[in-house]
Structures are given as structure tokens and as C-alpha cells.
Amino acid sequence: MNRKKNNKVAAVIDIGSNMLKMRISQLKKGEIVDIDVLEYPLSLGHEVFTEGKIRFESLRELSRVLHGYSSIMNEYGVDQCKVVATTAFRDAKNRSYVLDQLKIQNDITVQVLEDDQEKTLIYSEILNFLNQIENKKSENALISYIGAGTIGFSVYNGKHMVFSQNIPMGALKLHDMLGNIQELTEDFYTVVEEYLHSIIGHISIPFNKGIVSNLILTGNEIQLIAKICSVEPVNDCYTIPAEMLTDLFKKIRSMSQEKISLQYGINEETAELLYSALAIYISLIDFTTSDYIISPKVELWDALMRLMLIPKSGDEYFEHVRENAISCAQEIAKTYNCNQKHSDNIRKFACRIFDKMKGAHGLDHRKRLLLELAAILHDSGHYVTAKQHLLSAFDLIKDIDVYGMTDDEMLITAYVSRYNEYDVPNYDDVEFLRISDKNRLIVSKLVAIFRLANALDKSQKQKLKDIKVKLDNDKLLITAESNDNVYLERWAFEQCAPFFKEVFGYNPVLTIKSSLI
């Protein structure tokens, strides 16, 4: 094969719930160009959703196909390869054994993407796509990805994501969970609709009474639905009338799988998923005023390939995550009546200290984002109770969905938020011992910084508008100006200084200057 040596060839292998796919691409004149795309049907999702595990027979089949994929990658001279797995692996109880065997048998390291990671990568590609379409950039939308085992659900206000939630219920999982009922009643579609309403109906999005202007859907079944509706893509995007989708659902919801299969020339397994996917799509239409469903031809591996082949895309992607995570967190903070002026102030202070201590803490920009999220959300516990507000904040934050953040990261954020001037992380605390030693160290470092920043606005009256931070030998010198009574801030700072010194070895010193004589 003829290709320039500096034209890198990359491969993405996506181990999905019902399909194993490989895409090989390279960058030509700034555009990603596909060299080869391969697909192999698997039923991992069905096994996991019904039995809880991936069978070893399926593992052997997966391993065999991956060997074949490896040979093809060698033929094309692939320089870098990313292997990812999604819902089926996430939910499999024996995933550690399966991952270990794939490493041993195939010398492949599989990254099991968390729900938030998977959806955020897809959403980033959708927003890239929308920003290229005239007049779509400024419009608000509900953006949803319907997978085999999960539904991703985000709200875009025209500038940022303001809401993000993942629901553990996809087209395949929905069918496998309720499939046994189908033989007991001819009114099965009512069961599905009621079950979906019990989950999706409780979602309350913070946007114009829960209604947005546009509905943007992606998922494995959308191309099939578009084909049945005789809708052709224009510029790699389907635009399907909502009424057409509703009519199709009414038509098939009381039909058997066999009849759906014969009617539309598809196999029975696809017919099962078609019904489940349509039921989910119809449920989402109620959140919008749109007469159309927009469905760009975007997949997970588009984002993964971009990150591998296009320089600087990694930085751009992180900035996308950061902006939208903060936007979502601020929207959540409004719901819990948090003081935004206070959180903005200590977020600024915390970042100043974090940046100045870079050589001492060794933490990356992702951990800096967790510090920002903790500053935004730390007062949320007061919404529940003033008596145990720190513990309430911890319980709320650890279970909150924030755009682009993993469960592990939100747990770290929750820990950072739950300590004030009286309390510090304690290695004897049973709850604290539940997280890994690595994460305990990260929490301790972030808590040391957060407590110091929080102390500087203890009164929540922004008496210190800004601070200057400087390292001088073994001291962290913080200077500020204020003509107000700052005795509360000085007291809180002194309370928090010893733990900071214990963690970093630097003694914090606060100097507040006044222009009053």
C-alpha cells in the first residue's frame, strides 16, 4: 500500500453490545479519511442483560475475531490503535476476567468507557456537527444518544450544556428486561410505555418548564428507522418528521416481532430493537416543541479517531468538557439555592492557589476542574438540612450527573466539598477508606487547597475581592486588600493552615492590607 510515511494510520475497535467494529483511518489534508471499516455481529449485550455475565464461548469468539483484526491492522501499517468497550462490559460481573483474558490472549488493553465518557465523546461530535450547520448553532436542543443499554440525555441552551443525565435503560436492555411479559399479554406495548414513563417521566430538566425547541437523536437504530420512513440523509444528517415517527410506532406497537420482520424485511432480533428504540424516541419527543427529529450520522469512534489523528484536539476536547461541566454544575447549584457570588469567589481563589502550588501537588488540569466543581456545589447540602449540611452535600454530589464527569470523579468532588475548618480527611474513617489510596491522596491535596480558599470568604460577603499568591521558601504567602471586618476570614484561615502544611509542607500566611488609616 502506498502512503506517505508521515501520514499516520490509526484504528479504533469498538466492542459494542451487539456488534464488534473496527475502523481504520488516516489524516489527509486536514480531513479524516477512512481506509477500511469492518463489522462482526456479537450478542454480548443480550448475555449480560439477561445473565449478568459474558460467556466464555463469546469471549473465545471475540478473541478470535480480534486476532483477525490485528492481522488486518498490520497489513495497513496501523501506527496507533484504541480499543474501547461500552455497556455490555460495564455491566458484566465478570468483566475483570474477560479483560484479563483479552490482554493475555490478544495482547490488547481494552478501555471500558464509563457512561459519561461515552456520551460526552458522542455529544462533542454532535456539537461540532451542529456548529457547521447554518442557524443551528444558537438554538437550544435536547440531545440524546440511545444505546443498547443506556440512554444519554443532555440539554444544550445554544452555548453550553445545562443538564446531563444517563439512564441505565437502552433499546436492547429494555427488551430483555420486559421480554418475558410479552408472551403473557397482547397489550405488551402498554407495559413498555408505562415502564418508560416511570423512568423518563420523572426527569425534570431546568429549561423553559422542561421544553426545548429541538430534538437531536443518535443511536444504532436511527438509520433503520429513517430507511423505513423513506428519509434520505442530507449532508450526513437525517431530518425525520416527528409525526412520521409517531405514526410508525402506532403501526408496529401491536404487531408481533415476526410480523414486523416480514413487513420491513429485517431479522427478528432487529425487529425487537426497532420497537424498543421507537418507544424510547416517542418518550423523548414530549420534551420538545419540534416537529422534526434531527439525527446526524455521528458515532463514538468519530470522536476517538479525531483525538488520535488531529493535533490539539485533546486540548480542545478537555476545554469542551470543562466549560460544559461547569455550566451543568452551576445550573444544579441554582436548584439547591447555592450562593453563586460566594462559589465564584472561592473558585477563583482555589484555582489561584492550585496553579501556584503546581510543583508541589503534581495534579493535572482534570483535578483542577474537580476543585472548581467542589467550589460550585459545596453549599448544596444546606438545601436538605443545616444540621448535617456537609454530609448532605456529600450524598448529593456523589450521585449527581455532571457533563463529562465519571462516577469516580464526582465521588472525589463530593469528598472535597464535605470538609470545613473543623474537619479534615481522616484515614481512620471507614467511609474514607473505601476509596483507593491514590484517590485518598488526591482528595487530601484538593481538600487542603479548598479549605484555605473557602476560609477566605467565610462570611460569604466577598470581603476579599482578589488575592495574590506567592511561594517563599517554606511559606505560601497570600495577600489581599480589604477595608471590611475580616476577623472571621482570618480565624477560618488559621484553622485551615495546619492541614495545608501537613499535606504540602508549606506554611500558609495571610496578609490583608487596608487603605484605611
Side-chain angles (χ1 to χ4, degrees), residues 251-300:
K251 189 176 179 180
I252 73 165
R253 66 180 183 176
S254 56
M255 291 168 63
S256 66
Q257 290 162 19
E258 294 85 355
K259 197 169 181 181
I260 295 172
S261 175
L262 289 169
Q263 177 84 23
Y264 299 107
I266 55 178
N267 62 46
E268 288 190 23
E269 287 182 4
T270 306
E272 292 172 358
L273 296 182
L274 173 64
Y275 171 76
S276 301
L278 269 172
I280 295 169
Y281 293 162
I282 297 301
S283 298
L284 297 178
I285 287 174
D286 292 338
F287 287 94
T288 76
T289 58
S290 178
D291 294 327
Y292 292 89
I293 291 157
I294 302 165
S295 182
K297 293 175 77 173
V298 166
E299 293 190 54
L300 173 63

Side-chain angles (χ1 to χ4, degrees), residues 32 35 48 52 127 164 230 293 301 314 332 462 477:
I32 295 173
I35 298 171
V48 172
L127 291 181
S164 185
S230 300
I293 291 157
W301 61 15
I332 293 164
Q462 297 78 59
L477 305 178

Side-chain angles (χ1 to χ4, degrees), residues 246-471:
T246 305
D247 289 344
L248 177 62
F249 183 61
K250 286 177 181 175
K251 189 176 179 180
I252 73 165
R253 66 180 183 176
S254 56
M255 291 168 63
S256 66
Q257 290 162 19
E258 294 85 355
K259 197 169 181 181
I260 295 172
S261 175
L262 289 169
Q263 177 84 23
Y264 299 107
I266 55 178
N267 62 46
E268 288 190 23
E269 287 182 4
T270 306
E272 292 172 358
L273 296 182
L274 173 64
Y275 171 76
S276 301
L278 269 172
I280 295 169
Y281 293 162
I282 297 301
S283 298
L284 297 178
I285 287 174
D286 292 338
F287 287 94
T288 76
T289 58
S290 178
D291 294 327
Y292 292 89
I293 291 157
I294 302 165
S295 182
K297 293 175 77 173
V298 166
E299 293 190 54
L300 173 63
W301 61 15
D302 294 325
L304 295 171
M305 195 63 80
R306 182 189 296 273
L307 288 170
M308 283 198 288
L309 288 178
I310 298 181
K312 296 184 179 179
S313 62
D315 292 339
E316 290 172 0
Y317 177 71
F318 172 74
E319 194 52 37
H320 161 81
V321 170
R322 180 184 173 276
E323 285 181 5
N324 289 290
I326 287 172
S327 175
C328 274
Q330 287 174 332
E331 203 62 48
I332 293 164
K334 286 179 191 175
T335 303
Y336 293 124
N337 299 330
C338 296
N339 183 337
Q340 186 173 345
K341 287 183 179 179
H342 169 61
S343 65
D344 286 348
N345 215 32
I346 67 168
R347 180 156 72 98
K348 178 171 65 177
F349 295 165
C351 287
R352 289 269 165 83
I353 298 169
F354 182 96
D355 293 343
K356 188 57 67 174
M357 294 293 296
K358 202 170 184 179
H361 59 58
L363 301 176
D364 61 17
H365 56 337
R366 190 98 186 179
K367 304 304 182 295
R368 186 181 188 268
L369 174 55
L370 302 188
L371 190 62
E372 292 187 84
L373 296 178
I376 294 167
L377 295 167
H378 77 285
D379 265 345
S380 57
H382 285 285
Y383 184 85
V384 179
T385 176
K387 185 171 60 176
Q388 294 282 354
H389 68 92
L390 290 172
L391 290 176
S392 295
F394 175 81
D395 288 336
L396 283 172
I397 295 168
K398 73 180 175 66
D399 292 323
I400 284 173
D401 274 335
V402 169
Y403 186 85
M405 297 293 103
T406 66
D407 290 346
D408 210 29
E409 287 172 325
M410 289 312 297
L411 182 59
I412 291 172
T413 303
Y415 272 112
V416 176
S417 303
R418 73 160 300 253
Y419 296 103
N420 63 4
E421 61 276 358
Y422 294 114
D423 200 9
V424 295
N426 185 350
Y427 275 69
D428 294 327
D429 183 5
V430 175
E431 184 72 29
F432 195 55
L433 288 171
R434 289 179 182 174
I435 60 175
S436 67
D437 189 56
K438 177 186 174 184
N439 283 350
R440 286 198 293 273
L441 184 58
I442 291 168
V443 166
S444 296
K445 290 177 180 180
L446 293 179
V447 166
I449 295 169
F450 177 77
R451 288 171 81 243
L452 219 54
N454 197 13
L456 294 171
D457 193 30
K458 185 62 187 172
S459 64
Q460 299 203 7
K461 291 185 176 180
Q462 297 78 59
K463 294 174 183 176
L464 309 181
K465 303 300 181 188
D466 204 355
I467 61 170
K468 292 180 180 179
V469 184
K470 181 181 177 183
L471 288 177

Side-chain angles (χ1 to χ4, degrees), residues 76-275:
Y76 283 116
V78 169
D79 300 290
Q80 50 185 332
C81 175
K82 183 91 171 173
V83 185
V84 296
T86 50
T87 311
F89 269 66
R90 275 198 300 266
D91 290 3
K93 294 174 183 175
N94 63 338
R95 93 174 185 184
S96 296
Y97 305 142
V98 174
L99 292 172
D100 181 59
Q101 284 301 307
L102 289 176
K103 180 65 179 173
I104 294 168
Q105 302 298 330
N106 296 80
D107 194 25
I108 283 176
T109 300
V110 179
Q111 181 185 1
V112 181
L113 295 176
E114 279 201 32
D115 226 351
D116 295 280
Q117 292 174 307
E118 177 192 3
K119 303 302 184 295
T120 306
L121 286 161
I122 293 168
Y123 295 152
S124 68
E125 283 299 304
I126 290 174
L127 291 181
N128 280 336
F129 182 91
L130 291 178
N131 288 343
Q132 296 167 14
I133 301 176
E134 193 176 351
N135 296 327
K136 290 295 178 190
K137 190 172 182 178
S138 61
E139 292 184 10
N140 60 71
L142 167 62
I143 302 176
S144 183
Y145 172 79
I146 294 91
T150 57
I151 303 169
F153 193 98
S154 284
V155 175
Y156 180 64
N157 70 0
K159 292 183 178 179
H160 298 111
M161 296 292 194
V162 291
F163 179 82
S164 185
Q165 200 164 98
N166 294 309
I167 305 162
M169 181 52 57
L172 180 59
K173 188 182 282 188
L174 177 64
H175 176 269
D176 284 346
M177 281 184 64
L178 302 178
N180 293 336
I181 303 173
Q182 195 165 1
E183 298 173 5
L184 304 176
T185 176
E186 293 180 1
D187 203 14
F188 178 62
Y189 65 87
T190 303
V191 176
V192 172
E193 289 169 29
E194 288 176 349
Y195 184 74
L196 276 174
H197 179 73
S198 73
I199 298 171
I200 296 175
H202 287 288
I203 295 173
S204 178
I205 63 176
F207 196 85
N208 294 349
K209 298 180 180 178
I211 302 294
V212 294
S213 304
N214 293 290
L215 179 58
I216 299 166
L217 296 180
T218 56
N220 298 329
E221 287 73 38
I222 198 73
Q223 290 189 38
L224 172 62
I225 292 168
K227 185 179 178 182
I228 291 171
C229 294
S230 300
V231 173
E232 293 293 328
V234 177
N235 297 326
D236 285 333
C237 184
Y238 297 100
T239 302
I240 307 171
E243 188 178 356
M244 197 177 279
L245 214 65
T246 305
D247 289 344
L248 177 62
F249 183 61
K250 286 177 181 175
K251 189 176 179 180
I252 73 165
R253 66 180 183 176
S254 56
M255 291 168 63
S256 66
Q257 290 162 19
E258 294 85 355
K259 197 169 181 181
I260 295 172
S261 175
L262 289 169
Q263 177 84 23
Y264 299 107
I266 55 178
N267 62 46
E268 288 190 23
E269 287 182 4
T270 306
E272 292 172 358
L273 296 182
L274 173 64
Y275 171 76

